[in-house]
Amino acid sequence: MKAIKRKAGFGGLEEKLKLYGFNNLTKALSFNIYDICYAKSAREQQDYIKYIDEQYNSERLTKILSTVTEMIGARILNIAKQDYDPQGASVTMLIAEEEAVESGRKKPVESAILGDTILAHLDKSHVTVHTYPEFHPGTSIATFRVDIDVATCGEITPLKTLDYMIAQFDSDIITMDYRVRGFTRDLNGRKLFMDSKMRSIQEFIAQETLDRYDAVDINLYQANLYHTRMLIKEPQLQNYLFNTDIYEIPPKDRLAISNSLRREMIEIYSGRNLY
């Protein structure tokens, strides 16, 4: 699908609407990526899961979400993070558009550290991330999924963080949902169900990023629902082999592995099994 050029002015709300009271619109972004890998033996598959767990532990995910929060202009009030056994991690942040109020004074709330648990708190908005490493011994293919959800209210919007989040992960397949809920009012009392104009999530992704993917939109403008799916265009086999050099594999096997990887990607991208 031909990429849609972004429109300036949405992310920063440069032409601010004159509203009566607080902007009550809730903007929610669901951002999901899949990283595919070929790991032939059971040992390689286990090593891949271990590698992913080390690369994307709760500490690193916390840093990523902290940057996302900073990019949208919010403040962190509370953080909860957890690494799971045998694999996976989760981080949840509560965020606020303005400084949190503490004891009647406007003052940023510091994180509180209790043992191995980190707590931080946000107001009315939140950011979460969950990871899902998995593999099936019969296919020699391992899949790593990351789910990030950003819910905001007021003037801030999570869409400006898309390029950053895509760059933080090896993103073979990306699915994104953006929705706006509720309403706010202008000075005349007229309801506003959107505080900006947009046609597609693709408007907020850099062209150089879009050029690397096939992308498709499914949008319901009347309901303020936007969905975009992206599939990497030209995967290079060497980038998908875990602890194996491409020249160790016979040419015939390379083709079979490439086809298997591509089938996995297409099935995830399309949401159905091919056969």
Side-chain angles (χ1 to χ4, degrees), residues 1-5 199-202 207 210-211 213-219 221 227-231 233 269:
M1 178 178 179
K2 185 177 180 181
I4 300 174
K5 294 182 179 180
R199 291 183 301 155
S200 168
I201 292 173
Q202 293 186 51
Q207 188 61 51
L210 289 172
D211 288 343
Y213 292 87
D214 287 317
V216 64
D217 289 332
I218 304 173
N219 300 323
Y221 300 111
H227 173 80
T228 297
R229 273 181 270 172
M230 299 166 61
L231 174 67
K233 283 182 180 178
Y269 177 72

Side-chain angles (χ1 to χ4, degrees), residues 107-120:
K107 175 183 175 183
V109 178
E110 301 294 336
S111 298
I113 302 178
L114 302 173
D116 294 331
T117 302
I118 296 182
L119 302 176

Side-chain angles (χ1 to χ4, degrees), residues 117-187:
T117 302
I118 296 182
L119 302 176
H121 236 161
L122 289 202
D123 176 24
K124 296 183 180 179
S125 304
H126 66 269
V127 185
T128 66
V129 60
H130 305 283
T131 65
Y132 303 90
E134 69 89 37
F135 68 90
H136 190 283
T139 64
S140 298
I141 293 179
T143 302
F144 173 55
R145 182 172 114 238
V146 178
D147 291 352
I148 297 178
D149 291 288
V150 186
T152 65
C153 58
E155 294 179 356
I156 59 179
T157 174
L159 289 170
K160 65 174 67 176
T161 66
L162 288 175
D163 279 326
Y164 169 76
M165 290 195 291
I166 292 171
Q168 296 309 300
F169 305 97
D170 293 324
S171 307
D172 296 316
I173 304 106
I174 306 168
T175 64
M176 295 163 285
D177 293 283
Y178 180 69
R179 56 197 179 277
V180 180
R181 290 285 183 265
F183 67 89
T184 190
R185 294 181 185 272
D186 64 17
L187 295 178

Side-chain angles (χ1 to χ4, degrees), residues 46-267:
Q46 294 289 349
D47 287 346
Y48 170 77
I49 296 297
K50 182 179 179 182
Y51 165 79
I52 286 294
D53 248 16
E54 292 173 351
Q55 287 293 306
Y56 298 104
N57 56 32
S58 64
E59 191 67 34
R60 183 179 179 191
L61 294 173
T62 298
K63 292 179 181 178
I64 291 173
L65 292 195
S66 296
T67 301
V68 168
T69 300
E70 181 180 349
M71 290 176 69
I72 64 176
R75 292 180 181 274
I76 297 174
L77 303 178
N78 180 275
I79 302 173
K81 64 178 183 177
Q82 181 66 51
D83 290 297
Y84 298 108
D85 186 13
Q87 69 254 352
S90 297
V91 178
T92 300
M93 293 183 175
L94 295 178
I95 57 176
E97 182 178 359
E98 299 178 350
E99 293 180 333
V101 177
E102 182 180 60
S103 300
R105 295 174 296 131
K106 278 205 166 184
K107 175 183 175 183
V109 178
E110 301 294 336
S111 298
I113 302 178
L114 302 173
D116 294 331
T117 302
I118 296 182
L119 302 176
H121 236 161
L122 289 202
D123 176 24
K124 296 183 180 179
S125 304
H126 66 269
V127 185
T128 66
V129 60
H130 305 283
T131 65
Y132 303 90
E134 69 89 37
F135 68 90
H136 190 283
T139 64
S140 298
I141 293 179
T143 302
F144 173 55
R145 182 172 114 238
V146 178
D147 291 352
I148 297 178
D149 291 288
V150 186
T152 65
C153 58
E155 294 179 356
I156 59 179
T157 174
L159 289 170
K160 65 174 67 176
T161 66
L162 288 175
D163 279 326
Y164 169 76
M165 290 195 291
I166 292 171
Q168 296 309 300
F169 305 97
D170 293 324
S171 307
D172 296 316
I173 304 106
I174 306 168
T175 64
M176 295 163 285
D177 293 283
Y178 180 69
R179 56 197 179 277
V180 180
R181 290 285 183 265
F183 67 89
T184 190
R185 294 181 185 272
D186 64 17
L187 295 178
N188 297 319
R190 186 171 182 268
K191 296 182 185 69
L192 300 174
F193 297 93
M194 284 285 285
D195 57 2
S196 56
K197 294 181 180 179
M198 65 176 290
R199 291 183 301 155
S200 168
I201 292 173
Q202 293 186 51
E203 296 174 7
F204 303 89
I205 302 174
Q207 188 61 51
E208 61 182 337
T209 301
L210 289 172
D211 288 343
R212 297 190 292 114
Y213 292 87
D214 287 317
V216 64
D217 289 332
I218 304 173
N219 300 323
L220 293 174
Y221 300 111
Q222 300 90 336
N224 296 329
L225 291 170
Y226 302 84
H227 173 80
T228 297
R229 273 181 270 172
M230 299 166 61
L231 174 67
I232 195 77
K233 283 182 180 178
E234 300 178 358
Q236 303 297 314
L237 180 58
Q238 181 60 63
N239 297 333
Y240 296 86
L241 302 177
F242 186 72
N243 288 342
T244 302
D245 190 278
I246 191 170
Y247 297 107
E248 298 175 6
I249 303 173
K252 183 178 180 180
D253 292 341
R254 293 180 207 169
L255 179 60
I257 294 170
S258 295
N259 289 339
S260 182
L261 287 166
R262 197 59 177 171
R263 173 187 167 186
E264 181 81 356
M265 293 179 193
I266 292 173
E267 287 184 343

